[in-house]
Amino acid sequence: LFVTDAALRSLVELALTNNRDLRQSLLNVEAARALYRIQRADQLPGVGLQGGSARQRLPADLSGSGRAGVQGSYQVGLGVTAFELDLFGRVRNLSQAALEDYLATEEAAHAARISLVAEVIAAYLTRQGAEQRLLLTSETLATREVSLRLAAERRRAGTATALDYQEALGLTEQSRAEQARIDREFRQADNALTLLVGVSDLSPHLPQRSDQRALLVQELAAGTPSDLLSYRPDILAAEHRLRARYADIGAARAAFFPQISLTGLFGTASADLSDLFRSGQRTWSFVPQLTLPIFNAGRNRANLDLATVRRDIAVADYEKAIQTAFREVSDALAATDTLRREEAARQTLAAASSEALRLAEARWRAGVDSHLRYLDAQRSDFANQALLIEIRT
């Protein structure tokens, strides 16, 4: 919705499909969802088919018949193993903490998507700005090479001094060095964009030549409320993490209370495998277990203190996320306002320096002004044109 340029929109879509960092973030969401499902399963009893056999030799003094012998038994049935009755909310709080951690991870993945879109746009604009500066430098170098040849001809004709030639030569080599530097920046920007998009060749997705058309919607609606910041995924992720830490405190408190677990079996049992499923062989067992902590060297108290400290850390993280959001929006609004005014001034300055360069060249060719003034006009115009491209970017 915010990207109006078709080429840039295509690159953003490719990045959302191919970027490896985003893929890792999405896989982290899947891992968090699986952990939540594992933790949630503890709230319900697990029923499984159990079967087994046992053989044992008893000496005569331990045997009920008074004779030594080998005894065997077979058993099969449905069993429930160590299901905890969640009377004090320990399992429920652990499940809630896992859910909030999963939701926080999901919001973090959403934030990663937004960051990826921003990084692709920034890399595209950086590449576009470098391309425009490279074109400007190439044109400037070509112009200065012409001026250098003219200075050499005038020197041979005796109408220009050796100093004029050396100054023209220095300005030409300065442009050549600047061209090499900007070419390096352009290639590096191209490599950064390629890495973000995740494809090996960007040329089919890029325009033949960059232009000055607007790429993004940059106007904010008047009266936009600041509470829109509450929809930022980084703030939502911090909020879910805070809720998870509160749930951890509930689970740590529940550890001070008794834990009741149930183990049971319903099935058939027999001393002979052939009689295992005959009538009258039904068997069942029910084993409740109560565990009450009395002394554990302060482990439960330490776990509660740890959960409380982590809650306080999450509160600070939540507050920082809100403050960071306000700062980023304020910085963006200030930058947009000042950069627009600076762009207008730079555009006027660049137009003035171009006209000054044209006049200086005409006066130098007519012999009215010195060569030094013409070189100063060249330097000034190149600097102003490059700064205009930078501010536009």
Side-chain angles (χ1 to χ4, degrees):
L1 294 178
F2 297 99
V3 181
T4 58
D5 182 73
L8 179 54
R9 189 161 54 244
S10 174
L11 291 175
V12 169
E13 292 172 354
L14 283 173
L16 292 176
T17 303
N18 300 320
N19 185 265
R20 271 59 176 180
D21 290 335
L22 180 60
R23 189 176 302 173
Q24 291 180 9
S25 298
L26 296 178
L27 291 175
N28 288 335
V29 173
E30 295 300 322
R33 182 186 291 117
L35 288 174
Y36 164 60
R37 291 170 57 193
I38 293 172
Q39 191 63 57
R40 184 182 60 179
D42 289 340
Q43 297 184 73
L44 299 174
V47 180
L49 180 64
Q50 299 180 7
S53 65
R55 294 186 66 80
Q56 182 181 21
R57 183 186 184 282
L58 293 176
D61 59 342
L62 295 180
S63 174
S65 61
R67 291 180 298 178
V70 177
Q71 298 179 356
S73 65
Y74 300 90
Q75 180 176 306
V76 66
L78 296 175
V80 177
T81 303
F83 169 63
E84 181 178 345
L85 295 179
D86 194 25
L87 300 180
F88 302 101
R90 190 184 76 88
V91 178
R92 184 176 65 254
N93 279 294
L94 289 176
S95 177
Q96 183 66 26
L99 173 61
E100 295 297 340
D101 282 331
Y102 155 62
L103 294 176
T105 306
E106 192 171 43
E107 292 297 341
H110 188 196
R113 288 173 61 89
I114 294 176
S115 297
L116 176 60
V117 172
E119 289 174 1
V120 171
I121 293 173
Y124 182 83
L125 292 173
T126 301
R127 181 189 181 279
Q128 185 185 65
E131 183 180 20
Q132 292 173 357
R133 287 187 290 120
L134 182 60
L135 179 62
L136 171 66
T137 307
S138 299
E139 293 174 350
T140 302
L141 177 60
T143 301
R144 291 180 179 178
E145 286 176 341
V146 172
S147 298
L148 178 62
R149 287 196 297 269
L150 182 58
E153 292 173 359
R154 289 195 170 196
R155 180 188 177 188
R156 286 193 295 269
T159 58
T161 65
L163 179 60
D164 291 337
Y165 174 78
Q166 292 300 324
E167 287 176 342
L169 177 61
L171 206 58
T172 301
E173 294 305 319
Q174 181 184 9
S175 297
R176 187 170 285 111
E178 190 72 11
Q179 183 189 43
R181 182 182 66 83
I182 296 177
D183 184 42
R184 179 176 65 251
E185 293 178 0
F186 172 74
R187 294 185 187 184
Q188 291 174 345
D190 191 76
N191 292 336
L193 184 59
T194 301
L195 177 62
L196 286 172
V197 174
V199 296
S200 57
D201 186 13
L202 286 177
S203 55
H205 309 283
L206 294 173
Q208 294 297 321
R209 183 172 177 177
S210 61
D211 51 36
Q212 301 298 328
R213 291 183 297 109
L215 305 178
L216 308 170
V217 175
Q218 294 181 322
E219 295 293 339
L220 287 178
T224 301
S226 61
D227 59 3
L228 283 176
L229 290 177
S230 62
Y231 293 98
R232 281 175 55 121
D234 53 344
I235 293 180
L236 292 176
E239 184 176 341
H240 285 302
R241 287 192 294 267
L242 178 58
R243 291 175 178 173
R245 302 296 77 79
Y246 271 107
D248 287 340
I249 291 176
R253 284 202 184 103
F256 288 91
F257 299 98
Q259 295 182 15
I260 301 176
S261 61
L262 302 179
T263 300
L265 175 69
F266 179 81
T268 61
S270 174
D272 296 318
L273 182 60
S274 59
D275 296 333
L276 183 60
F277 295 103
R278 293 181 58 184
S279 61
Q281 301 301 124
R282 184 177 62 185
T283 182
W284 60 267
S285 65
F286 179 67
V287 186
Q289 183 177 6
L290 174 66
T291 303
L292 178 64
I294 296 177
F295 176 75
N296 56 12
R299 181 187 301 273
N300 289 343
R301 172 56 63 182
N303 283 331
L304 179 58
D305 292 342
L306 177 61
T308 303
V309 171
R310 286 177 173 170
R311 186 273 317 273
D312 295 338
I313 293 174
V315 169
D317 181 62
Y318 182 57
E319 293 173 347
K320 180 182 177 181
I322 295 176
Q323 293 173 352
T324 301
F326 271 101
R327 183 233 169 140
E328 289 178 352
V329 172
S330 297
D331 287 349
L333 292 175
T336 301
D337 179 47
T338 55
L339 284 172
R340 282 176 179 169
R341 288 188 274 121
E342 185 176 357
E343 180 187 11
R346 291 286 181 188
Q347 192 166 2
T348 303
L349 179 60
S353 64
S354 295
E355 179 64 15
L357 174 60
R358 186 187 68 82
L359 295 175
E361 183 180 7
R363 291 172 65 86
W364 173 65
R365 289 180 182 274
V368 177
D369 270 345
S370 66
H371 187 252
L372 179 59
R373 185 166 184 178
Y374 173 50
L375 295 181
D376 286 340
Q378 283 186 330
R379 279 191 289 263
S380 177
D381 181 62
F382 175 76
N384 289 330
Q385 297 295 339
L387 283 174
L388 177 60
I389 293 174
E390 181 180 346
I391 292 303
R392 281 176 174 167
T393 300

